[in-house]
């Protein structure tokens, strides 16, 4: 069965509750458009807006941008999976490069979070990607292999039904320097080959692998027209309903 395309918005530290409300005023329009185009659409708002967005999401998927692996405890400033589940959040991003850069998150931390999310029957959008230095040194594939292998350690093949992978080269995030379609296709298919080795060819066939990094309405089509790229994880262009709608219209 063909994999459905996915357009997922990562709001980062943007959109106040009032702005999230404006976005949700268009949730029905966005959901109807997604249905017409037969694509899955989702957003990851900041914690404060999560509940409002969940309550007004129509058919959008709603993930958190981040979560802790422990159910509760002395972790000041963190939010746990049971807290997210209590308000109906369906999953979480894990391993975004900004979390790795500003919060020192490691592949092993990501592995703990992924295992905790799967145990709780939640979705996982696992982000991986090389820095510009690693890209320039020809290390992109080695970096991705390590990031994917460690993050998915101890998972069973059936667990992958809840896992989505986003290839997001760090040098393309928020820079306007989106990766070429060739790079996105090559890296997404490389990740698929790693899944095939680690799990099975069937698992590789089933898993959705997205590209992220300066995806805009004017370039999304190029990525998604390839069979290898199952969707886009979008930051800046996902913040308003209008821009989000434009992304979907381009599919
Ligand atoms: P961008 O962000 O679309 O603003 O480059 C992508 C991301 O960080 O997921």
């Amino acid at each position: 069965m063909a994999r459905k395309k996915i357009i997922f918005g990562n709001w980062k530290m943007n959109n106040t509750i009032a702005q999230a409300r404006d976005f949700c005023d268009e949730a029905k329009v966005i959901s109807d458009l997604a249905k017409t185009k037969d694509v899955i659409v989702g957003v990851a708002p900041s914690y404060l807006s999560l509940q409002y967005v969940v309550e007004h999401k129509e058919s959008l998927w709603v993930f958190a941008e981040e979560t802790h692996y422990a159910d509760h405890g002395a972790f000041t400033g963190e939010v746990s999976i049971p807290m997210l589940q209590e308000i109906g959040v369906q999953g979480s991003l894990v391993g975004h490069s900004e979390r790795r850069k500003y919060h020192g998150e490691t592949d092993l931390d990501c592995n703990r979070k992924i295992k905790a999310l799967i145990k709780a029957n939640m979705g996982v959008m696992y982000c991986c990607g090389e820095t510009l230095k690693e890209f320039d040194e020809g290390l992109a594939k080695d970096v991705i292999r390590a990031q994917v292998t460690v993050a998915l350690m101890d998972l069973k093949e059936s667990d992958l039904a809840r896992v989505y992978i986003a290839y997001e080269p760090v040098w393309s995030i928020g820079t306007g320097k989106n990766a070429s379609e060739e790079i996105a296709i090559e890296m997404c298919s490389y990740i698929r080959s790693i899944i095939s080795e680690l799990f099975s060819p069937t698992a590789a066939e089933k898993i959705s692998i997205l590209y992220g990094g300066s995806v805009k309405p004017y370039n999304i089509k190029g990525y998604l027209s390839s069979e290898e790229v199952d969707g886009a994880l979008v930051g800046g262009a996902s913040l308003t309903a209008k821009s989000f709608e434009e992304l979907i219209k381009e599919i």
Side-chain angles (χ1 to χ4, degrees):
M1 211 177 71
R3 298 178 298 269
K4 267 200 189 189
K5 300 288 185 190
I6 302 171
I7 304 177
F8 219 95
N10 170 16
W11 287 356
K12 313 191 180 188
M13 199 174 72
N14 296 297
N15 281 350
T16 61
I17 297 176
Q19 288 166 322
R21 200 175 289 146
D22 287 345
F23 184 96
C24 287
D25 286 347
E26 298 295 315
K28 170 118 179 55
V29 176
I30 293 173
S31 297
D32 289 348
L33 196 56
K35 215 172 287 165
T36 318
K37 297 280 186 176
D38 200 25
V39 295
I40 294 167
V41 288
V43 283
S46 72
Y47 288 135
L48 286 178
S49 316
L50 265 179
Q51 183 155 11
Y52 185 88
V53 178
V54 167
E55 284 167 3
H56 299 85
K57 68 185 173 61
E58 296 285 335
S59 63
L60 293 176
W61 289 9
V62 183
F63 278 25
E65 294 176 15
E66 185 52 41
T67 188
H68 200 276
Y69 58 82
D71 278 356
H72 57 85
F75 300 103
T76 303
E78 300 285 347
V79 170
S80 73
I81 293 170
M83 293 171 186
L84 297 174
Q85 279 190 306
E86 186 179 38
I87 60 164
V89 172
Q90 294 147 295
S92 179
L93 307 189
V94 173
H96 191 279
S97 67
E98 288 147 17
R99 299 295 307 181
R100 295 176 191 262
K101 181 174 172 192
Y102 300 121
H103 300 269
E105 285 189 11
T106 64
D107 296 335
L108 216 48
D109 294 327
C110 295
N111 177 250
R112 284 200 192 101
K113 291 176 194 211
I114 291 174
K115 286 193 286 197
L117 283 159
I118 285 172
K119 197 164 154 228
N121 291 322
M122 300 272 274
V124 173
M125 177 69 72
Y126 177 58
C127 309
C128 56
E130 79 285 355
T131 62
L132 184 59
K133 184 166 180 285
E134 290 160 344
F135 178 80
D136 285 343
E137 288 171 359
L139 297 173
K141 287 189 174 166
D142 295 338
V143 170
I144 297 299
R145 174 172 285 274
Q147 289 179 342
V148 171
T149 307
V150 175
L152 302 185
M153 230 166 28
D154 305 327
L155 261 61
K156 298 192 295 292
E157 183 166 333
S158 57
D159 296 333
L160 291 188
R162 305 193 162 279
V163 178
Y164 306 84
I165 299 179
Y167 167 63
E168 296 204 302
V170 180
W171 47 269
S172 73
I173 296 177
T175 58
K177 287 190 210 134
N178 56 308
S180 65
E181 287 163 29
E182 290 70 28
I183 292 176
I185 291 167
E186 185 181 347
M187 294 307 285
C188 287
S189 71
Y190 181 65
I191 293 170
R192 202 173 298 288
S193 75
I194 298 172
I195 299 297
S196 180
E197 275 174 46
L198 294 177
F199 297 92
S200 75
T202 315
E205 186 58 35
K206 283 191 194 156
I207 196 162
S208 293
I209 304 173
L210 288 65
Y211 165 75
S214 297
V215 173
K216 307 288 175 200
Y218 61 80
N219 63 26
I220 191 168
K221 199 173 180 166
Y223 297 114
L224 271 61
S225 53
S226 161
E227 293 221 331
E228 283 301 331
V229 184
D230 298 316
L233 181 57
V234 187
S238 76
L239 297 179
T240 64
K242 188 169 175 292
S243 172
F244 205 104
E245 279 166 38
E246 278 170 26
L247 289 167
I248 307 171
K249 280 184 191 151
E250 287 302 323
I251 307 296

